[in-house]
Amino acid sequence: MDTGSSAFILICSAMVCLMTPALAFFYGGLGRRKNVINTMMMSVLPLAIASLLWIVAGYSLSFGGHGNFFGNFSHLF
């Protein structure tokens, strides 16, 4: 992968990470006052789960070598 492609992926990832809290505030503003925290957490929690899944298995599947269809689990955790 060349430098331009890596920079593009990094910028897109940063935009998604900024978009998630903004979406949480938007959804929080649509609901009643007593439901704001729950509504915001329902928008932010998938980002936390996706980050943990990337740490546990995603990195290994992406950069772990060659398997039948995708990488292997040689770098698990």
Side-chain angles (χ1 to χ4, degrees):
M1 208 189 288
D2 63 345
T3 308
S5 296
S6 298
F8 178 74
I9 290 173
L10 186 64
I11 290 170
C12 291
S13 298
M15 289 180 147
V16 168
C17 287
L18 288 174
M19 178 189 67
T20 304
L23 188 65
F25 279 113
F26 175 72
Y27 285 157
L30 292 176
R32 293 176 51 186
R33 183 175 290 204
K34 69 176 190 172
N35 299 330
V36 170
I37 297 296
N38 183 34
T39 305
M40 292 177 75
M41 289 307 294
M42 287 176 62
S43 296
V44 175
L45 190 63
L47 183 64
I49 292 171
S51 298
L52 287 175
L53 285 174
W54 172 256
I55 291 168
V56 171
Y59 179 83
S60 181
L61 289 174
S62 297
F63 301 110
H66 299 292
N68 291 336
F69 297 106
F70 45 85
N72 54 26
F73 290 108
S74 63
H75 300 297
L76 196 63
F77 290 98

